[in-house]
Amino acid sequence: MQRTFPFEIFRYGMILLALFIAMIPVAWMISMAFKPIPEWSALGDDLTWWPRQPTLDNFRFIFGQSTNDLIVELEKTAGRPILASLLASVIGTLIAMVAGTSAAYGLSRFNSGKNLPLALIQLRLFPPLAVMIPVMIMWTFLNLIDTWWGLALIYGIVTLPFSFWLMKTYFDEMPREIEEAALVEGCTRFRVFTRITLPMMAGPLASSALLVFILNWSDYLIALMLTTREWQTIPVYMASLSSSMTGQLYGAKAALGLIAAVPPVILGIAIQRHLVRGLTFGALKQ
């Protein structure tokens, strides 16, 4: 049935309305990041949508370059938390994708370990606090508390079920005839996997890696429990931004939040070509 013109207007109008509502918090964060202290603290007269006097003081403050007397209680800059988030998220994503993709391919092609998928997803069924208590004890025994490699390792373990289930779905939808033809021609199974299967899985790999990276990048609970001071991540460091004179440092938090949004956006743009194909992989399969 052909859609009528009023229906299309209503449809796109609702899409624009939903987009507008979704962008309100983003616009508010961008505005807050460039406001001076009197415009976002209790010292100001009223709140405004856009800064009257735009400034970069909030960005200077989180990197230790601000000389404002109202916010002099910053113990450390945001440089180390940004580095900690990058190291832990990137390496944790690599661990999860390598292990998850290998396991997914093995179960999809050889039908072995029928109980393994359920066992992996059980890692995410338990309450996070119940799981993190024994993890803290083990990490303390292994001297991995407050280290970026300890954080990266647990990130890889926690997000492994996501990468496994996503990639297994993609491998199940991929026709096996191509691999079987290569095996008949004399290719080894490993060569088929690296030279044929993985290049065809570029889109699914990109979309899965982006999801896993975002999960690691935005984590708060695990980083809060496994880091103390030296290797705090951005979410944990952001929660500590407060002052006895101005209260919560909303301007500094907004500036740091704006910086934290840059890596996922850049990664999404970089893999956009593969991302669209990965999200729609198998959608037209009959």
Side-chain angles (χ1 to χ4, degrees), residues 85 88-90 92-93 96-97 121 124 151 154-164 166 207-223 233 235 264 267:
S85 291
S89 299
V90 172
T93 300
M97 290 305 301
I121 201 63
R124 303 295 302 182
L151 200 57
I154 193 63
Y155 279 171
I157 296 174
V158 169
T159 54
L160 174 60
F162 289 101
S163 64
F164 168 79
L166 286 171
S207 58
S208 300
L210 179 60
L211 174 61
V212 172
F213 176 80
I214 292 175
L215 290 174
N216 292 332
W217 181 259
S218 59
D219 168 73
Y220 175 76
L221 178 62
I222 296 176
T233 58
L267 183 59

Side-chain angles (χ1 to χ4, degrees), residues 3-21:
R3 294 175 178 176
T4 60
F5 182 69
F7 176 81
E8 292 292 333
I9 294 179
F10 175 77
R11 178 188 173 208
Y12 286 108
M14 294 302 296
I15 293 175
L16 291 176
L17 178 61
L19 180 62
F20 173 76
I21 295 175

Side-chain angles (χ1 to χ4, degrees), residues 38-268:
E39 294 186 28
W40 55 256
S41 69
L43 304 177
D45 297 332
D46 56 353
L47 294 177
T48 59
W49 269 103
W50 301 109
R52 298 191 185 97
Q53 298 177 342
T55 179
L56 295 176
D57 285 345
N58 295 315
F59 295 92
R60 297 190 186 100
F61 167 69
I62 61 176
F63 288 107
Q65 299 177 359
S66 176
T67 58
N68 197 306
D69 295 335
L70 294 178
I71 46 176
V72 295
E73 302 177 18
L74 186 65
E75 296 183 359
K76 66 175 182 178
T77 64
R80 179 62 70 88
I82 293 175
L83 178 62
S85 291
L86 285 173
L87 289 174
S89 299
V90 172
I91 298 179
T93 300
L94 289 175
I95 294 174
M97 290 305 301
V98 171
T101 301
S102 303
Y105 182 76
L107 264 70
S108 176
R109 291 296 182 263
F110 302 107
N111 297 320
S112 58
K114 295 182 179 180
N115 295 325
L116 182 58
L118 181 60
L120 285 175
I121 201 63
Q122 285 178 349
L123 293 173
R124 303 295 302 182
L125 296 180
F126 293 100
L129 285 176
V131 176
M132 289 309 301
I133 292 175
V135 169
M136 288 184 62
I137 298 175
M138 290 188 294
W139 256 233
T140 302
F141 177 76
L142 297 173
N143 294 323
L144 295 177
I145 294 293
D146 203 20
T147 60
W148 65 265
W149 55 88
L151 200 57
L153 180 59
I154 193 63
Y155 279 171
I157 296 174
V158 169
T159 54
L160 174 60
F162 289 101
S163 64
F164 168 79
W165 276 96
L166 286 171
M167 294 308 302
K168 186 178 184 303
T169 302
Y170 293 131
F171 284 131
D172 290 341
E173 295 174 349
M174 179 182 174
R176 304 187 181 188
E177 289 77 7
I178 301 176
E179 297 178 346
E180 293 174 353
L183 290 172
V184 171
E185 293 295 330
C187 286
T188 62
R189 175 62 68 173
F190 180 76
R191 189 177 181 87
V192 170
F193 177 67
T194 57
R195 295 296 183 90
I196 297 177
T197 307
L198 286 184
M200 294 182 63
M201 288 284 115
L205 281 170
S207 58
S208 300
L210 179 60
L211 174 61
V212 172
F213 176 80
I214 292 175
L215 290 174
N216 292 332
W217 181 259
S218 59
D219 168 73
Y220 175 76
L221 178 62
I222 296 176
L224 177 65
M225 300 185 71
L226 296 184
T227 59
T228 56
R229 177 178 175 80
E230 293 298 325
W231 291 100
Q232 289 181 340
T233 58
I234 292 178
V236 178
Y237 175 76
M238 187 182 298
S240 67
L241 291 176
S242 61
S243 171
S244 60
M245 298 182 64
T246 60
Q248 295 293 325
L249 302 178
Y250 295 112
K253 290 184 177 182
L256 185 57
L258 198 59
I259 295 174
V262 172
V265 171
I266 292 178
L267 183 59

